Amino acid sequence: MCELLSAGSGNPLEQFVLLAKNAKGAAAVELVKQALEAPGVYVFGELLDMANIQDLENSPNAKYLTLLNLFAYGTYKSLAESVESLPELTDAMRRKLRLLTVVSLAEQNKLLPYSLLMAELEISTVRELEDLVIEGISASVVLGKLDQKCSCFEVDFVIGRDIRKIDMGAIVSVLSAWCDNCDSMLTNIETQVDKVNKEKSDTNSHKAALEQKINDVKQQIKNQPSGEDGDPDSRMETERMDRRDKKAAKGKGLRGTSKSGGSGSFWKQ
């Protein structure tokens, strides 16, 4: 067993699950103890589901099954509530249960005051609390920053704990509500897309209609008979020539009048 427990594994609990297939009675109890003390093991659901572990319920060692359930779903304060039905905990077990309690608190609030942590973990000094949190950060159980000035722990990440079967219904309800919200949002987006596409289509149709009208007017102008009243350019040129001729004739008339008037006044004198 020791050789198997020391072997590397992607899932630290997996080795205990494999051993639980053949462990019964005292061997199952010993397996539970080792799992609760083992570094890196913070979830216990698969081990709890093993038949040999569940068989402890109707044996003199039922308190170890209760203890395993406490580590899977409970907190450090639950320890005091069930102390009479639990075996003695080692220091390693108590430290792990405190870390699991930090996980549960961090799932509910991303800003944990030192006062709350110390009360929930039954720790009397800030130094001991900070050492515990640093240990959790090193083990990647929780990630965040200890703010000594504000006396709080700012949580950035926390692992997930085991989920009770009775809580599955609530989780399914939350996920169903989330899916419904996603469907509603998707429907709204599709409606907006259809609206934009329709507006674009209407704009393109209006533009095409205007271009067609412009082309029709141009064609009508081109089809008009050429001549004075036909071609607009010809009419404009004719009008410019008429105005130029009128100006020239007017200028000649003014010069003639000026000359005759001057001669008459001279002879009158």
Side-chain angles (χ1 to χ4, degrees), residues 8 119 210:
L210 288 178

Side-chain angles (χ1 to χ4, degrees), residues 17-225:
V17 174
L18 293 174
L19 290 171
K21 293 179 179 180
N22 299 317
K24 295 183 179 182
V29 170
E30 188 62 26
L31 189 63
V32 170
K33 290 180 181 179
Q34 292 189 32
L36 297 181
E37 291 183 339
V41 179
Y42 296 99
V43 290
F44 309 93
E46 292 181 65
L47 186 60
L48 272 170
D49 289 338
M50 300 302 295
N52 288 339
I53 301 300
Q54 287 296 320
D55 287 344
L56 293 174
E57 185 175 7
N58 299 318
S59 72
N61 296 313
K63 55 186 179 181
Y64 286 96
L65 179 61
T66 303
L67 182 62
L68 185 58
N69 274 284
L70 175 63
F71 272 72
Y73 310 117
T75 62
Y76 196 80
K77 277 198 168 183
S78 304
L79 187 62
E81 299 171 359
S82 309
V83 64
E84 295 182 358
S85 58
L86 296 174
E88 186 67 25
L89 272 68
T90 64
D91 290 341
M93 290 180 185
R94 288 181 179 274
R95 198 164 187 83
K96 180 180 285 190
L97 187 56
R98 283 189 169 112
L99 278 178
L100 291 170
T101 302
V102 173
V103 170
S104 294
L105 293 172
E107 288 176 341
Q108 301 171 9
N109 195 340
K110 298 305 179 184
L111 189 64
L112 301 174
Y114 280 8
S115 56
L116 173 64
L117 290 170
M118 293 173 70
E120 292 292 329
L121 303 177
E122 298 183 9
I123 291 177
S124 57
T125 66
V126 172
R127 177 62 182 273
E128 185 180 359
L129 172 63
E130 291 181 341
D131 287 346
L132 179 70
V133 174
I134 291 171
E135 179 182 339
I137 293 174
S138 299
S140 298
V141 176
V142 291
L143 297 177
K145 181 178 70 174
L146 287 169
D147 189 338
Q148 295 178 328
K149 183 178 180 180
C150 296
S151 297
C152 64
F153 175 47
E154 298 178 13
V155 181
D156 294 329
F157 165 82
V158 60
I159 64 171
R161 293 195 64 183
D162 291 296
I163 301 172
R164 297 176 185 270
K165 293 181 179 179
I166 59 175
D167 295 330
M168 290 294 185
I171 295 174
V172 171
S173 298
V174 171
L175 292 176
S176 297
W178 178 78
C179 288
D180 291 341
N181 289 335
C182 289
D183 290 340
S184 177
M185 185 175 296
L186 182 60
T187 300
N188 289 335
I189 292 174
E190 290 175 346
T191 301
Q192 293 298 321
V193 170
D194 292 340
K195 180 180 178 182
V196 170
N197 288 337
K198 185 178 183 304
E199 291 177 352
K200 181 180 179 181
S201 177
D202 292 343
T203 300
N204 290 337
S205 299
H206 181 64
K207 181 179 178 181
L210 288 178
E211 291 177 349
Q212 184 61 43
K213 287 183 179 179
I214 292 172
N215 291 332
D216 292 344
V217 171
K218 288 182 177 179
Q219 191 63 38
Q220 289 175 5
I221 294 174
K222 288 181 179 180
N223 292 337
Q224 287 181 357

